[in-house]
Amino acid sequence: MIFALSLISGTAVADEGMWLPSLISERIEDMQAKGFELSAEDIYSINQASLKDAVVLFGRGCTGELISPEGLLITNHHCGYAQIQQHSSVEHDYLRDGFWAMTRDEELPNPGLTVSFLEYMEDVTEQVLDGYESVMTEEERTELIETNAGRLIEKAVEAGDGLRASVESLFYGNRYYMFVYREYSDVRLVGAPPSSIGKFGGDTDNWMWPRHTGDFSIFRIYADKDNNPAPYSEDNVPYRPKRYFHIAAGGVEEGEFTFVYGFPGSTREYIMSEGVRYISDIANPFKINLRTMRLDIQKKYMDSDQAVRIQYSSKNAGVSNAWKKWQGEMKGIVRLGTVARKQAFESRFMDWAEGTEYDGIVPALDSLYGVLEPYNYALEYYNESARTVELVQFAARALSAAESGSDSVLKAVEAAFYKDYCLPIDKECFVAVMNAYKDDVPVDFRPEYFDSTLAVYGGSVEKWADDLFSTSVFADRAALEALDCAGVAALKDDPAVVFGREFSAWIGENLRPAVARVNSEITLLNRDYMRGQMEFQPDRTFYPDANLTLRVAYGHIKGYAPSDGVYYLPFSTIEGIMEKDNPDIFDYNIPQRFRDIVASGDYGRWGHDGKVPVCFIATNHTSGGNSGSPVIDSRGRLIGINFDRVWEGTMSDIEFDPDFCRNISLDIRYVLFVIDMIGDADHLIEEMTIETE
Ligand code: ARG
Ligand code: GLU
């Protein structure tokens, strides 16, 4: 049976929501009332080129957009970071100095990087549930869905080169949509500002307003002669997009309409109070604690050695990012009283549900969360501790490469690892996180191997680390590189291999199945609970939780009051960069060239009342994955590039608060200023269509 869900909107709640582009006609009146001047067909159409054709999923978790008829693409600096770092060394430090391809020949290929255009999306609920009968078990239902979805996908991808498709559940399995993408794999690096601009403010300013980060990088998509996806080849030519963004360089004002078009990764707006309590009271605190230790250790080594700074820059940013977000999220949940509000909602829901098919769902969910908690805690703890030991992960990867028998694959795995490895960091982190593991994870929820090995070292994690890091062959580069596949494959008893294997086997047998089983029961009940919430609140507007599928969020440019007596303006300018500038602080040390330009006061075409705008905030509902998303004005033109949210609003993945939730975008005029006056790459600007009115 298929439930008819009304996706038609009631009254819009502030600017909350991440809407499906193919259903945007249901929102278009509200968008137009708020200032949007185009039609639903301009946003998403399968009959004509529309804005969706200028938006891509960049890599596996960012968004990018086309900005020239010759395949030029812009995304965040932090989204291209791994690529920029891959091309960097102490001699060519593109992270530190920036990179600008002055000719097409200088554009750098990036094996493994792909971009995906959404060809179309379609509601396939009926097809996916074809053959479903209510007597089926959940396993039978899942199997049916997989078979039906597999068939749909197979058919969809037959239609052309480079197509890939996926069927995704929305509203907790009440709806299914198929997304068909065309994926391009020849994507070359064209430009990146120095990190002192692209990462200005670093992790100090990350997730914060006021912000002055020039967080962008530029790539170009290449295609074969027929404009189809093709693996990297010198013969490939720049991709010709169906649609690219025109750039509005005329400036934006507070109150102006904006919309963000991109791929938010994951939100959980409809889960019950117990799920939120676990996140804010249990999971976030211990994860933050473990990461604080690792970050402190990394920082110590990075501060004293430039080579280590390059090696660990990307890893460090990855660890730091969620670490800081979780802290803001916890605070936001506490401030909003989300747990208590959800509890109050649940009690109203239960009253209403009495005697309906939804009777009993909330208590059942509640008890499932109780069953889940100790298992989930131990699993997540493992993920943030034992599983973060770099040497152990590497040993497992190298062993499996060796077992595959390809010497070239094995050598590539080794080279990639050692290029960015600093053993003293890894070892100190091992000691820190495994000591915490010993103290925090109950004996029944950790492998016997852990306790018996620890006993061998008299209970000392330090002694264990000394032994492991000095006897593992994987820790000895020269010794390992001297081995061929057979030699490496024989290292099955190496202590790093054993550590990884014992942990993952025990976790795989004792925690994962329990977590998976309870989670699947929760998912099943959430399906009913979601539908129940929709019936209970017929006038509320529901949007599906984010799941890395293309969405539209709209709002307007607006400041906010983070605390009593303080109001934040929605714009930042180049003057703020000068205020923060400090050659002695790594995160705030801008290039000398930048200082000279500001001293001269000559900002070329990019000045605005004697300043250059840098970033702005707005009320668009965004999430991780929206990095690099186009921020679009009422006429469909690019005014900015989304790259962050404000700290006080990071709980928007769980509860959106119109007073505090703001997305942070880079003002496109600052991007142009940097390309032109810092990069001297005005040939790129010439490719773009810039409108100043
Ligand atoms: N906070 C932004 C996001 O979630 C920017 C991340 C850049 N990374 C960093 N560690 N500064 O992705
Ligand atoms: N920086 C985030 C990203 O990489 C976007 C910020 C957010 O989570 O809203 O996707």
PDB file of all heavy atoms in Angstrom, residues 36-38 51 243-252 256-259 630-640 668 689-693:
ATOM      1  N   PHE A  36      11.713  36.474  -5.337  1.00  0.00           N
ATOM      2  CA  PHE A  36      12.274  35.755  -6.481  1.00  0.00           C
ATOM      3  C   PHE A  36      11.535  36.159  -7.755  1.00  0.00           C
ATOM      4  O   PHE A  36      10.309  36.235  -7.759  1.00  0.00           O
ATOM      5  CB  PHE A  36      12.153  34.248  -6.237  1.00  0.00           C
ATOM      6  CG  PHE A  36      12.877  33.395  -7.238  1.00  0.00           C
ATOM      7  CD1 PHE A  36      14.212  33.630  -7.528  1.00  0.00           C
ATOM      8  CD2 PHE A  36      12.220  32.349  -7.883  1.00  0.00           C
ATOM      9  CE1 PHE A  36      14.893  32.826  -8.446  1.00  0.00           C
ATOM     10  CE2 PHE A  36      12.897  31.540  -8.798  1.00  0.00           C
ATOM     11  CZ  PHE A  36      14.223  31.785  -9.082  1.00  0.00           C
ATOM     12  N   GLU A  37      12.287  36.410  -8.831  1.00  0.00           N
ATOM     13  CA  GLU A  37      11.638  36.934 -10.033  1.00  0.00           C
ATOM     14  C   GLU A  37      11.487  35.911 -11.152  1.00  0.00           C
ATOM     15  O   GLU A  37      10.938  36.218 -12.196  1.00  0.00           O
ATOM     16  CB  GLU A  37      12.419  38.151 -10.557  1.00  0.00           C
ATOM     17  CG  GLU A  37      12.358  39.340  -9.596  1.00  0.00           C
ATOM     18  CD  GLU A  37      13.271  40.484 -10.025  1.00  0.00           C
ATOM     19  OE1 GLU A  37      13.338  40.774 -11.226  1.00  0.00           O
ATOM     20  OE2 GLU A  37      13.921  41.066  -9.132  1.00  0.00           O
ATOM     21  N   LEU A  38      12.017  34.694 -10.946  1.00  0.00           N
ATOM     22  CA  LEU A  38      11.941  33.707 -12.023  1.00  0.00           C
ATOM     23  C   LEU A  38      10.873  32.652 -11.719  1.00  0.00           C
ATOM     24  O   LEU A  38      10.187  32.743 -10.707  1.00  0.00           O
ATOM     25  CB  LEU A  38      13.310  33.048 -12.228  1.00  0.00           C
ATOM     26  CG  LEU A  38      14.492  33.995 -12.479  1.00  0.00           C
ATOM     27  CD1 LEU A  38      15.772  33.203 -12.685  1.00  0.00           C
ATOM     28  CD2 LEU A  38      14.229  34.907 -13.674  1.00  0.00           C
ATOM     29  N   LEU A  51      18.600  26.199 -14.103  1.00  0.00           N
ATOM     30  CA  LEU A  51      19.731  26.427 -13.195  1.00  0.00           C
ATOM     31  C   LEU A  51      20.337  25.126 -12.673  1.00  0.00           C
ATOM     32  O   LEU A  51      21.523  25.057 -12.384  1.00  0.00           O
ATOM     33  CB  LEU A  51      19.297  27.311 -12.015  1.00  0.00           C
ATOM     34  CG  LEU A  51      18.956  28.765 -12.359  1.00  0.00           C
ATOM     35  CD1 LEU A  51      18.496  29.506 -11.110  1.00  0.00           C
ATOM     36  CD2 LEU A  51      20.145  29.488 -12.994  1.00  0.00           C
ATOM     37  N   ARG A 243      24.127  25.070 -19.116  1.00  0.00           N
ATOM     38  CA  ARG A 243      23.777  26.313 -18.457  1.00  0.00           C
ATOM     39  C   ARG A 243      24.934  26.694 -17.535  1.00  0.00           C
ATOM     40  O   ARG A 243      25.546  25.809 -16.942  1.00  0.00           O
ATOM     41  CB  ARG A 243      22.504  26.061 -17.629  1.00  0.00           C
ATOM     42  CG  ARG A 243      21.924  27.244 -16.910  1.00  0.00           C
ATOM     43  CD  ARG A 243      21.211  28.162 -17.878  1.00  0.00           C
ATOM     44  NE  ARG A 243      20.865  29.390 -17.174  1.00  0.00           N
ATOM     45  CZ  ARG A 243      19.617  29.728 -16.836  1.00  0.00           C
ATOM     46  NH1 ARG A 243      18.603  28.942 -17.120  1.00  0.00           N
ATOM     47  NH2 ARG A 243      19.394  30.867 -16.208  1.00  0.00           N
ATOM     48  N   TYR A 244      25.254  27.966 -17.435  1.00  0.00           N
ATOM     49  CA  TYR A 244      26.236  28.396 -16.440  1.00  0.00           C
ATOM     50  C   TYR A 244      25.721  29.665 -15.785  1.00  0.00           C
ATOM     51  O   TYR A 244      24.837  30.337 -16.327  1.00  0.00           O
ATOM     52  CB  TYR A 244      27.626  28.601 -17.065  1.00  0.00           C
ATOM     53  CG  TYR A 244      27.709  29.749 -18.041  1.00  0.00           C
ATOM     54  CD1 TYR A 244      28.097  31.024 -17.615  1.00  0.00           C
ATOM     55  CD2 TYR A 244      27.375  29.573 -19.385  1.00  0.00           C
ATOM     56  CE1 TYR A 244      28.147  32.088 -18.503  1.00  0.00           C
ATOM     57  CE2 TYR A 244      27.420  30.637 -20.270  1.00  0.00           C
ATOM     58  CZ  TYR A 244      27.805  31.893 -19.825  1.00  0.00           C
ATOM     59  OH  TYR A 244      27.840  32.945 -20.698  1.00  0.00           O
ATOM     60  N   PHE A 245      26.246  29.983 -14.618  1.00  0.00           N
ATOM     61  CA  PHE A 245      25.751  31.150 -13.894  1.00  0.00           C
ATOM     62  C   PHE A 245      26.360  32.439 -14.427  1.00  0.00           C
ATOM     63  O   PHE A 245      27.583  32.520 -14.616  1.00  0.00           O
ATOM     64  CB  PHE A 245      26.092  31.044 -12.402  1.00  0.00           C
ATOM     65  CG  PHE A 245      25.162  30.144 -11.658  1.00  0.00           C
ATOM     66  CD1 PHE A 245      25.522  28.846 -11.342  1.00  0.00           C
ATOM     67  CD2 PHE A 245      23.896  30.599 -11.290  1.00  0.00           C
ATOM     68  CE1 PHE A 245      24.653  28.004 -10.666  1.00  0.00           C
ATOM     69  CE2 PHE A 245      23.010  29.764 -10.607  1.00  0.00           C
ATOM     70  CZ  PHE A 245      23.399  28.460 -10.303  1.00  0.00           C
ATOM     71  N   HIS A 246      25.517  33.428 -14.624  1.00  0.00           N
ATOM     72  CA  HIS A 246      26.003  34.787 -14.824  1.00  0.00           C
ATOM     73  C   HIS A 246      26.314  35.343 -13.437  1.00  0.00           C
ATOM     74  O   HIS A 246      25.702  34.939 -12.455  1.00  0.00           O
ATOM     75  CB  HIS A 246      24.953  35.650 -15.518  1.00  0.00           C
ATOM     76  CG  HIS A 246      24.740  35.245 -16.941  1.00  0.00           C
ATOM     77  ND1 HIS A 246      24.070  36.021 -17.836  1.00  0.00           N
ATOM     78  CD2 HIS A 246      25.127  34.123 -17.619  1.00  0.00           C
ATOM     79  CE1 HIS A 246      24.049  35.410 -19.017  1.00  0.00           C
ATOM     80  NE2 HIS A 246      24.673  34.255 -18.900  1.00  0.00           N
ATOM     81  N   ILE A 247      27.253  36.259 -13.409  1.00  0.00           N
ATOM     82  CA  ILE A 247      27.686  36.759 -12.113  1.00  0.00           C
ATOM     83  C   ILE A 247      27.158  38.166 -11.881  1.00  0.00           C
ATOM     84  O   ILE A 247      27.299  39.037 -12.740  1.00  0.00           O
ATOM     85  CB  ILE A 247      29.214  36.699 -12.038  1.00  0.00           C
ATOM     86  CG1 ILE A 247      29.591  35.215 -11.918  1.00  0.00           C
ATOM     87  CG2 ILE A 247      29.755  37.507 -10.869  1.00  0.00           C
ATOM     88  CD1 ILE A 247      31.022  34.919 -12.107  1.00  0.00           C
ATOM     89  N   ALA A 248      26.512  38.353 -10.742  1.00  0.00           N
ATOM     90  CA  ALA A 248      25.978  39.673 -10.412  1.00  0.00           C
ATOM     91  C   ALA A 248      27.001  40.397  -9.544  1.00  0.00           C
ATOM     92  O   ALA A 248      27.183  40.040  -8.386  1.00  0.00           O
ATOM     93  CB  ALA A 248      24.649  39.543  -9.675  1.00  0.00           C
ATOM     94  N   ALA A 249      27.683  41.362 -10.130  1.00  0.00           N
ATOM     95  CA  ALA A 249      28.745  42.051  -9.396  1.00  0.00           C
ATOM     96  C   ALA A 249      28.288  43.423  -8.929  1.00  0.00           C
ATOM     97  O   ALA A 249      29.091  44.244  -8.495  1.00  0.00           O
ATOM     98  CB  ALA A 249      29.995  42.163 -10.259  1.00  0.00           C
ATOM     99  N   GLY A 250      26.983  43.664  -8.998  1.00  0.00           N
ATOM    100  CA  GLY A 250      26.470  44.990  -8.652  1.00  0.00           C
ATOM    101  C   GLY A 250      26.273  45.196  -7.159  1.00  0.00           C
ATOM    102  O   GLY A 250      25.995  46.310  -6.717  1.00  0.00           O
ATOM    103  N   GLY A 251      26.388  44.133  -6.385  1.00  0.00           N
ATOM    104  CA  GLY A 251      26.262  44.303  -4.939  1.00  0.00           C
ATOM    105  C   GLY A 251      24.928  43.838  -4.409  1.00  0.00           C
ATOM    106  O   GLY A 251      23.933  43.790  -5.124  1.00  0.00           O
ATOM    107  N   VAL A 252      24.925  43.464  -3.149  1.00  0.00           N
ATOM    108  CA  VAL A 252      23.717  42.950  -2.508  1.00  0.00           C
ATOM    109  C   VAL A 252      23.430  43.776  -1.256  1.00  0.00           C
ATOM    110  O   VAL A 252      24.314  44.418  -0.703  1.00  0.00           O
ATOM    111  CB  VAL A 252      23.888  41.454  -2.143  1.00  0.00           C
ATOM    112  CG1 VAL A 252      23.818  40.599  -3.383  1.00  0.00           C
ATOM    113  CG2 VAL A 252      25.197  41.209  -1.416  1.00  0.00           C
ATOM    114  N   GLU A 256      17.733  41.370   1.024  1.00  0.00           N
ATOM    115  CA  GLU A 256      17.571  40.849  -0.321  1.00  0.00           C
ATOM    116  C   GLU A 256      17.318  39.341  -0.325  1.00  0.00           C
ATOM    117  O   GLU A 256      17.880  38.596   0.469  1.00  0.00           O
ATOM    118  CB  GLU A 256      18.868  41.157  -1.091  1.00  0.00           C
ATOM    119  CG  GLU A 256      18.654  41.319  -2.569  1.00  0.00           C
ATOM    120  CD  GLU A 256      19.933  41.798  -3.259  1.00  0.00           C
ATOM    121  OE1 GLU A 256      20.473  42.853  -2.857  1.00  0.00           O
ATOM    122  OE2 GLU A 256      20.382  41.097  -4.177  1.00  0.00           O
ATOM    123  N   PHE A 257      16.494  38.896  -1.273  1.00  0.00           N
ATOM    124  CA  PHE A 257      16.203  37.476  -1.457  1.00  0.00           C
ATOM    125  C   PHE A 257      17.465  36.724  -1.899  1.00  0.00           C
ATOM    126  O   PHE A 257      18.229  37.208  -2.728  1.00  0.00           O
ATOM    127  CB  PHE A 257      15.115  37.317  -2.529  1.00  0.00           C
ATOM    128  CG  PHE A 257      14.843  35.886  -2.902  1.00  0.00           C
ATOM    129  CD1 PHE A 257      13.903  35.147  -2.202  1.00  0.00           C
ATOM    130  CD2 PHE A 257      15.539  35.284  -3.946  1.00  0.00           C
ATOM    131  CE1 PHE A 257      13.664  33.820  -2.540  1.00  0.00           C
ATOM    132  CE2 PHE A 257      15.294  33.956  -4.285  1.00  0.00           C
ATOM    133  CZ  PHE A 257      14.359  33.230  -3.584  1.00  0.00           C
ATOM    134  N   THR A 258      17.688  35.530  -1.347  1.00  0.00           N
ATOM    135  CA  THR A 258      18.770  34.678  -1.847  1.00  0.00           C
ATOM    136  C   THR A 258      18.282  33.244  -1.853  1.00  0.00           C
ATOM    137  O   THR A 258      17.449  32.863  -1.034  1.00  0.00           O
ATOM    138  CB  THR A 258      20.014  34.653  -0.920  1.00  0.00           C
ATOM    139  OG1 THR A 258      19.654  34.089   0.346  1.00  0.00           O
ATOM    140  CG2 THR A 258      20.603  36.016  -0.738  1.00  0.00           C
ATOM    141  N   PHE A 259      18.824  32.463  -2.776  1.00  0.00           N
ATOM    142  CA  PHE A 259      18.562  31.038  -2.630  1.00  0.00           C
ATOM    143  C   PHE A 259      19.822  30.237  -2.887  1.00  0.00           C
ATOM    144  O   PHE A 259      20.707  30.652  -3.613  1.00  0.00           O
ATOM    145  CB  PHE A 259      17.323  30.620  -3.417  1.00  0.00           C
ATOM    146  CG  PHE A 259      17.479  30.026  -4.774  1.00  0.00           C
ATOM    147  CD1 PHE A 259      17.823  28.689  -4.927  1.00  0.00           C
ATOM    148  CD2 PHE A 259      17.192  30.780  -5.906  1.00  0.00           C
ATOM    149  CE1 PHE A 259      17.899  28.128  -6.192  1.00  0.00           C
ATOM    150  CE2 PHE A 259      17.268  30.224  -7.174  1.00  0.00           C
ATOM    151  CZ  PHE A 259      17.635  28.890  -7.321  1.00  0.00           C
ATOM    152  N   PRO A 630      26.132  27.473  -5.003  1.00  0.00           N
ATOM    153  CA  PRO A 630      25.848  28.817  -5.490  1.00  0.00           C
ATOM    154  C   PRO A 630      24.827  29.513  -4.598  1.00  0.00           C
ATOM    155  O   PRO A 630      23.844  28.894  -4.178  1.00  0.00           O
ATOM    156  CB  PRO A 630      25.262  28.568  -6.881  1.00  0.00           C
ATOM    157  CG  PRO A 630      24.728  27.173  -6.838  1.00  0.00           C
ATOM    158  CD  PRO A 630      25.646  26.425  -5.910  1.00  0.00           C
ATOM    159  N   VAL A 631      25.079  30.773  -4.300  1.00  0.00           N
ATOM    160  CA  VAL A 631      24.106  31.620  -3.618  1.00  0.00           C
ATOM    161  C   VAL A 631      23.610  32.573  -4.695  1.00  0.00           C
ATOM    162  O   VAL A 631      24.400  33.271  -5.338  1.00  0.00           O
ATOM    163  CB  VAL A 631      24.741  32.372  -2.447  1.00  0.00           C
ATOM    164  CG1 VAL A 631      23.684  33.147  -1.679  1.00  0.00           C
ATOM    165  CG2 VAL A 631      25.448  31.394  -1.518  1.00  0.00           C
ATOM    166  N   ILE A 632      22.296  32.553  -4.903  1.00  0.00           N
ATOM    167  CA  ILE A 632      21.717  33.082  -6.131  1.00  0.00           C
ATOM    168  C   ILE A 632      20.777  34.233  -5.797  1.00  0.00           C
ATOM    169  O   ILE A 632      20.099  34.204  -4.769  1.00  0.00           O
ATOM    170  CB  ILE A 632      20.952  31.922  -6.829  1.00  0.00           C
ATOM    171  CG1 ILE A 632      21.911  30.739  -7.060  1.00  0.00           C
ATOM    172  CG2 ILE A 632      20.330  32.372  -8.132  1.00  0.00           C
ATOM    173  CD1 ILE A 632      21.212  29.434  -7.365  1.00  0.00           C
ATOM    174  N   ASP A 633      20.742  35.235  -6.669  1.00  0.00           N
ATOM    175  CA  ASP A 633      19.868  36.381  -6.384  1.00  0.00           C
ATOM    176  C   ASP A 633      18.484  36.184  -7.006  1.00  0.00           C
ATOM    177  O   ASP A 633      18.194  35.135  -7.589  1.00  0.00           O
ATOM    178  CB  ASP A 633      20.533  37.706  -6.806  1.00  0.00           C
ATOM    179  CG  ASP A 633      20.549  37.916  -8.319  1.00  0.00           C
ATOM    180  OD1 ASP A 633      20.068  37.034  -9.074  1.00  0.00           O
ATOM    181  OD2 ASP A 633      21.050  38.972  -8.754  1.00  0.00           O
ATOM    182  N   SER A 634      17.646  37.195  -6.877  1.00  0.00           N
ATOM    183  CA  SER A 634      16.253  37.055  -7.303  1.00  0.00           C
ATOM    184  C   SER A 634      16.144  36.844  -8.810  1.00  0.00           C
ATOM    185  O   SER A 634      15.135  36.387  -9.303  1.00  0.00           O
ATOM    186  CB  SER A 634      15.469  38.304  -6.896  1.00  0.00           C
ATOM    187  OG  SER A 634      16.057  39.436  -7.513  1.00  0.00           O
ATOM    188  N   ARG A 635      17.209  37.175  -9.549  1.00  0.00           N
ATOM    189  CA  ARG A 635      17.157  36.982 -11.003  1.00  0.00           C
ATOM    190  C   ARG A 635      17.955  35.771 -11.462  1.00  0.00           C
ATOM    191  O   ARG A 635      18.258  35.630 -12.641  1.00  0.00           O
ATOM    192  CB  ARG A 635      17.653  38.253 -11.690  1.00  0.00           C
ATOM    193  CG  ARG A 635      16.620  39.395 -11.568  1.00  0.00           C
ATOM    194  CD  ARG A 635      17.245  40.762 -11.646  1.00  0.00           C
ATOM    195  NE  ARG A 635      17.877  41.018 -12.933  1.00  0.00           N
ATOM    196  CZ  ARG A 635      18.606  42.095 -13.202  1.00  0.00           C
ATOM    197  NH1 ARG A 635      18.780  43.031 -12.270  1.00  0.00           N
ATOM    198  NH2 ARG A 635      19.154  42.254 -14.385  1.00  0.00           N
ATOM    199  N   GLY A 636      18.346  34.924 -10.533  1.00  0.00           N
ATOM    200  CA  GLY A 636      19.021  33.683 -10.918  1.00  0.00           C
ATOM    201  C   GLY A 636      20.512  33.835 -11.150  1.00  0.00           C
ATOM    202  O   GLY A 636      21.142  32.971 -11.754  1.00  0.00           O
ATOM    203  N   ARG A 637      21.090  34.933 -10.663  1.00  0.00           N
ATOM    204  CA  ARG A 637      22.521  35.158 -10.894  1.00  0.00           C
ATOM    205  C   ARG A 637      23.332  34.856  -9.635  1.00  0.00           C
ATOM    206  O   ARG A 637      22.834  34.939  -8.512  1.00  0.00           O
ATOM    207  CB  ARG A 637      22.740  36.603 -11.341  1.00  0.00           C
ATOM    208  CG  ARG A 637      21.916  36.951 -12.575  1.00  0.00           C
ATOM    209  CD  ARG A 637      21.967  38.422 -12.875  1.00  0.00           C
ATOM    210  NE  ARG A 637      21.665  39.248 -11.706  1.00  0.00           N
ATOM    211  CZ  ARG A 637      21.782  40.562 -11.682  1.00  0.00           C
ATOM    212  NH1 ARG A 637      22.207  41.205 -12.765  1.00  0.00           N
ATOM    213  NH2 ARG A 637      21.482  41.262 -10.597  1.00  0.00           N
ATOM    214  N   LEU A 638      24.603  34.575  -9.852  1.00  0.00           N
ATOM    215  CA  LEU A 638      25.466  34.190  -8.736  1.00  0.00           C
ATOM    216  C   LEU A 638      25.921  35.431  -7.967  1.00  0.00           C
ATOM    217  O   LEU A 638      26.570  36.317  -8.514  1.00  0.00           O
ATOM    218  CB  LEU A 638      26.686  33.452  -9.303  1.00  0.00           C
ATOM    219  CG  LEU A 638      27.574  32.738  -8.290  1.00  0.00           C
ATOM    220  CD1 LEU A 638      26.834  31.575  -7.658  1.00  0.00           C
ATOM    221  CD2 LEU A 638      28.852  32.227  -8.974  1.00  0.00           C
ATOM    222  N   ILE A 639      25.597  35.459  -6.671  1.00  0.00           N
ATOM    223  CA  ILE A 639      26.091  36.567  -5.837  1.00  0.00           C
ATOM    224  C   ILE A 639      27.089  36.088  -4.797  1.00  0.00           C
ATOM    225  O   ILE A 639      27.792  36.887  -4.188  1.00  0.00           O
ATOM    226  CB  ILE A 639      24.952  37.319  -5.107  1.00  0.00           C
ATOM    227  CG1 ILE A 639      24.062  36.341  -4.331  1.00  0.00           C
ATOM    228  CG2 ILE A 639      24.132  38.131  -6.089  1.00  0.00           C
ATOM    229  CD1 ILE A 639      23.021  37.028  -3.463  1.00  0.00           C
ATOM    230  N   GLY A 640      27.165  34.777  -4.581  1.00  0.00           N
ATOM    231  CA  GLY A 640      28.090  34.310  -3.555  1.00  0.00           C
ATOM    232  C   GLY A 640      28.273  32.809  -3.617  1.00  0.00           C
ATOM    233  O   GLY A 640      27.636  32.118  -4.418  1.00  0.00           O
ATOM    234  N   ILE A 668      30.755  37.275  -4.091  1.00  0.00           N
ATOM    235  CA  ILE A 668      31.395  36.978  -5.373  1.00  0.00           C
ATOM    236  C   ILE A 668      32.362  38.097  -5.786  1.00  0.00           C
ATOM    237  O   ILE A 668      33.337  37.853  -6.504  1.00  0.00           O
ATOM    238  CB  ILE A 668      30.331  36.699  -6.478  1.00  0.00           C
ATOM    239  CG1 ILE A 668      30.947  35.932  -7.645  1.00  0.00           C
ATOM    240  CG2 ILE A 668      29.683  37.985  -6.966  1.00  0.00           C
ATOM    241  CD1 ILE A 668      31.340  34.520  -7.336  1.00  0.00           C
ATOM    242  N   THR A 689      30.545  35.703 -17.456  1.00  0.00           N
ATOM    243  CA  THR A 689      29.617  36.751 -17.861  1.00  0.00           C
ATOM    244  C   THR A 689      29.287  37.563 -16.615  1.00  0.00           C
ATOM    245  O   THR A 689      28.632  37.066 -15.696  1.00  0.00           O
ATOM    246  CB  THR A 689      28.331  36.129 -18.440  1.00  0.00           C
ATOM    247  OG1 THR A 689      28.705  35.225 -19.470  1.00  0.00           O
ATOM    248  CG2 THR A 689      27.411  37.200 -18.991  1.00  0.00           C
ATOM    249  N   ILE A 690      29.793  38.787 -16.595  1.00  0.00           N
ATOM    250  CA  ILE A 690      29.634  39.582 -15.385  1.00  0.00           C
ATOM    251  C   ILE A 690      28.650  40.722 -15.621  1.00  0.00           C
ATOM    252  O   ILE A 690      28.776  41.460 -16.593  1.00  0.00           O
ATOM    253  CB  ILE A 690      31.008  40.114 -14.949  1.00  0.00           C
ATOM    254  CG1 ILE A 690      31.877  38.898 -14.632  1.00  0.00           C
ATOM    255  CG2 ILE A 690      30.875  41.052 -13.736  1.00  0.00           C
ATOM    256  CD1 ILE A 690      33.199  39.174 -14.056  1.00  0.00           C
ATOM    257  N   GLU A 691      27.656  40.789 -14.747  1.00  0.00           N
ATOM    258  CA  GLU A 691      26.642  41.844 -14.890  1.00  0.00           C
ATOM    259  C   GLU A 691      26.761  42.785 -13.707  1.00  0.00           C
ATOM    260  O   GLU A 691      26.849  42.342 -12.569  1.00  0.00           O
ATOM    261  CB  GLU A 691      25.237  41.211 -14.934  1.00  0.00           C
ATOM    262  CG  GLU A 691      25.091  40.276 -16.125  1.00  0.00           C
ATOM    263  CD  GLU A 691      23.755  39.537 -16.141  1.00  0.00           C
ATOM    264  OE1 GLU A 691      22.885  39.853 -15.299  1.00  0.00           O
ATOM    265  OE2 GLU A 691      23.608  38.651 -17.005  1.00  0.00           O
ATOM    266  N   THR A 692      26.780  44.071 -13.987  1.00  0.00           N
ATOM    267  CA  THR A 692      26.966  45.012 -12.886  1.00  0.00           C
ATOM    268  C   THR A 692      25.687  45.759 -12.533  1.00  0.00           C
ATOM    269  O   THR A 692      25.658  46.532 -11.589  1.00  0.00           O
ATOM    270  CB  THR A 692      28.065  46.044 -13.210  1.00  0.00           C
ATOM    271  OG1 THR A 692      27.800  46.551 -14.507  1.00  0.00           O
ATOM    272  CG2 THR A 692      29.434  45.410 -13.175  1.00  0.00           C
ATOM    273  N   GLU A 693      24.622  45.511 -13.304  1.00  0.00           N
ATOM    274  CA  GLU A 693      23.361  46.203 -13.006  1.00  0.00           C
ATOM    275  C   GLU A 693      22.466  45.296 -12.177  1.00  0.00           C
ATOM    276  O   GLU A 693      22.324  44.127 -12.503  1.00  0.00           O
ATOM    277  CB  GLU A 693      22.628  46.537 -14.317  1.00  0.00           C
ATOM    278  CG  GLU A 693      23.414  47.478 -15.190  1.00  0.00           C
ATOM    279  CD  GLU A 693      23.244  48.920 -14.758  1.00  0.00           C
ATOM    280  OE1 GLU A 693      22.100  49.380 -14.740  1.00  0.00           O
ATOM    281  OE2 GLU A 693      24.251  49.580 -14.421  1.00  0.00           O
TER     282      GLU A 693
END
